[in-house]
Amino acid sequence: MVDVEWALSQLGQIFHSEDHLKLALGAELAQMYGNERVRLEWNPEPGVRVDIGVRRGDVTIPIELKYKTKQATVKDAVFEETFQLKTQGAHDRAHYRFLRDINRVEQIVANQGRYGYAVLLTNDSNYWTSPAGQALYDEFRIHEGREFGEGELNWREQRDWMSKSGEEAPINLVGQYVAEWTDYEYREDISVSSNSEFQSLVLRVDTQVAVNE
């Protein structure tokens, strides 16, 4: 088994960007399973790209990543570095795209694999906190304890921007999932000025039944 949760817990960093996270997680997985068995930007088939692929036995395990940030100033004493995280917002699109990642992994697993993962790391509590009211993306929510999957998930209402960005279609998931968030711990010599709590969600996608890892 590829232990993505353990690899993520070993990083201890705050990342500049999603690409930074991908490089760091890829390097950690390479230490765990061998550099020759880890591929960034893996192409399981023409026109399909996955953030990380880890070769195990005769199959490659797909891993899709999302890194969503809220405004913060990060100071890393080891690197004598200070950098800013921006508020990305657009929670409707972000939730939709994360579930679309799950759907993509499901398709890859069904075609040629045993299991895969969808991973989200964030310091934006909107993702893990239960909603106070309704939103367009209610069916795509992934807050703590949320159960979703096994069927069609759709927008509550359609908007023009959805078709313009190619995000109007419902998402059909085969597996069933439960969102169980985990505290993401970073090094003590890193300080974060605001929105300092980071949480991670690691969902395992299986060929038989998709469950939370």
Side-chain angles (χ1 to χ4, degrees), residues 138-192:
D138 281 344
E139 292 194 11
F140 306 130
R141 287 189 186 272
I142 50 174
H143 55 269
E144 174 64 28
R146 161 87 166 152
E147 299 181 12
F148 61 95
E150 196 176 23
E152 182 176 285
L153 302 174
N154 213 335
W155 299 101
R156 188 161 57 87
E157 297 177 9
Q158 289 289 316
R159 295 288 189 272
D160 289 342
W161 61 261
M162 297 173 186
S163 58
K164 291 177 181 178
S165 60
E167 295 172 331
E168 76 280 12
I171 295 175
N172 286 280
L173 297 179
V174 175
Q176 294 181 327
Y177 303 88
V178 179
E180 296 180 354
W181 290 81
T182 302
D183 292 338
Y184 175 78
E185 304 290 344
Y186 45 89
R187 301 191 322 268
E188 293 183 357
D189 52 21
I190 294 176
S191 65
V192 183

Side-chain angles (χ1 to χ4, degrees), residues 8-16 20-21 23-25 67 74 76 79 81 83 121 184-187 190 198:
L8 192 65
S9 73
Q10 298 307 294
L11 300 182
Q13 302 183 56
I14 302 298
F15 306 95
H16 300 97
H20 185 194
L21 169 60
L23 288 170
L25 184 59
Y67 181 53
V74 181
D76 189 322
F79 292 95
E81 177 185 34
F83 60 92
L121 177 64
Y184 175 78
E185 304 290 344
Y186 45 89
R187 301 191 322 268
I190 294 176
F198 281 74

Side-chain angles (χ1 to χ4, degrees), residues 13-15 67-75 83-89 91 121-129 184 186 190-199:
Q13 302 183 56
I14 302 298
F15 306 95
Y67 181 53
K68 296 298 177 183
T69 59
K70 196 168 184 178
Q71 191 280 325
T73 299
V74 181
K75 295 183 179 180
F83 60 92
Q84 303 292 326
L85 296 180
K86 296 181 179 180
T87 296
Q88 296 182 358
H91 296 118
L121 177 64
T122 183
N123 68 330
D124 187 341
S125 62
N126 173 274
Y127 292 95
W128 67 76
T129 303
Y184 175 78
Y186 45 89
I190 294 176
S191 65
V192 183
S193 66
S194 58
N195 302 305
S196 59
E197 180 181 2
F198 281 74
Q199 296 267 330

Side-chain angles (χ1 to χ4, degrees), residues 5 41 66 91 117 133 149:
E5 281 191 312
E41 301 296 332
K66 286 287 186 287
H91 296 118
Y117 293 93

